[in-house]
Amino acid sequence: LKQRENMATGRTDTYLSLTGAALVDMNGQPVVAINASSPIQVNRFTEDARAADLIEFDLDMNDRVLTLVFTETMNASAIWVTQVTIQAGANNSDGLSSAVTLSGAISTSQTDLTIINISLSKPDTEAIKIIPALGSTSANTFLSATALLISDQNGVDINPVPVSTAIGVRTFTPDSTAPVLNGFTFNLTSGLLVMTFSETMLGTSLNMSRFYFVNDATSTPSQSVPIAGGQYAAADGEVQELVLSTNAMNDIKRITDM
């Protein structure tokens, strides 16, 4: 009923019809039918003033989708995703160091339902990934929200979910998509190699010996030089930087067609 925005919002749009099979009296006589073409208007109408609750949520880190479940039909167009915080614990004991408040969304559900889907932005997803103890398992995925997150069909805001009593994730889907090296820059003077990946990388996992410079884009390049050594910060992030060693730079410079 609450999904219909032009019904049961007040006395002027609240009517009732029924068929003769709706019920009978004590002698078994069926009630007189009231056709939908001439329904009876409500005598007294009381608006919905009860605030809805956010009771469950799912987080899919692979498809970047946050699903919110409410106790009643919500006004999908009234959502304000910046009122949502993903945090590592139910009481957010370490403060903002293990929490990310959403900055926006790519899209949200357009249908008024009890379930609202939010397509998370890439920056928000990466902000979660860069915190190792946040949003990596169901054990460290909790959600809090202010009352301004969304309102129901009557404009009533939800009951807030405080950071001190956040709700745990119902279904958690981890990231299972392999990262991609999108591009790189290389400074032959300083030896600085800057690589940009499709998602946050674990800096300590970088193995320089597994990177190679080649002189063309064919499957069998004529020249190939492994990165023999260098220095790097081992910081987590989409961008990884390393400075090649003098030996590695000399190996590259010795090859005239690279």
Side-chain angles (χ1 to χ4, degrees), residues 92-228:
N92 199 25
S93 58
D94 63 352
L96 296 178
S97 62
S98 291
V100 171
T101 298
L102 300 185
S103 62
I106 295 176
S107 64
T108 60
S109 298
Q110 298 301 304
T111 305
D112 300 332
L113 295 169
T114 59
I115 298 176
I116 301 293
N117 290 315
I118 299 171
S119 180
L120 299 176
S121 68
K122 190 174 188 298
D124 285 341
T125 306
E126 298 307 320
I128 294 171
K129 289 180 180 179
I130 206 168
I131 303 176
L134 173 64
S136 58
T137 69
S138 58
N140 60 19
T141 304
F142 293 78
L143 182 147
S144 59
T146 76
L148 298 178
L149 168 60
I150 196 170
S151 57
D152 63 16
Q153 297 291 71
N154 201 40
V156 179
D157 293 336
I158 65 166
N159 289 315
V161 181
V163 296
S164 58
T165 55
I167 57 176
V169 67
R170 178 180 63 176
T171 302
F172 178 81
T173 304
D175 174 23
S176 60
T177 301
V180 176
L181 174 61
N182 288 332
F184 72 97
T185 62
F186 180 54
N187 188 318
L188 194 56
T189 300
S190 64
L192 177 64
L193 173 64
V194 180
M195 298 173 289
T196 303
F197 293 87
S198 59
E199 63 176 280
T200 299
M201 307 300 291
L202 179 64
T204 56
S205 70
L206 191 148
N207 184 347
M208 284 185 288
S209 66
R210 298 299 181 181
F211 291 87
Y212 297 82
F213 279 100
V214 295
N215 67 337
D216 60 51
T218 64
S219 59
T220 55
S222 60
Q223 301 291 345
S224 176
V225 177
I227 299 178

Side-chain angles (χ1 to χ4, degrees), residues 45-87:
F45 181 87
T46 303
E47 293 185 348
D48 175 21
R50 180 179 299 175
D53 291 314
L54 172 57
I55 53 174
E56 293 178 316
F57 80 99
D58 301 329
L59 180 60
D60 187 331
M61 290 297 289
N62 194 54
D63 291 334
R64 302 206 305 253
V65 175
L66 175 65
T67 301
L68 307 178
V69 183
F70 299 90
T71 52
E72 65 174 271
T73 298
M74 308 306 294
N75 182 357
S77 64
I79 193 165
W80 193 6
V81 298
T82 57
Q83 304 305 299
V84 172
T85 297
I86 305 297
Q87 56 191 68

Side-chain angles (χ1 to χ4, degrees), residues 30-42:
V31 66
V32 175
I34 300 177
N35 296 326
S37 59
S38 54
I40 185 172
Q41 188 175 27
V42 65

Side-chain angles (χ1 to χ4, degrees), residues 235-249:
D236 301 335
E238 296 174 75
V239 177
Q240 296 292 314
E241 299 183 0
L242 61 92
V243 178
L244 277 63
S245 66
T246 300
N247 289 337
M249 291 291 290

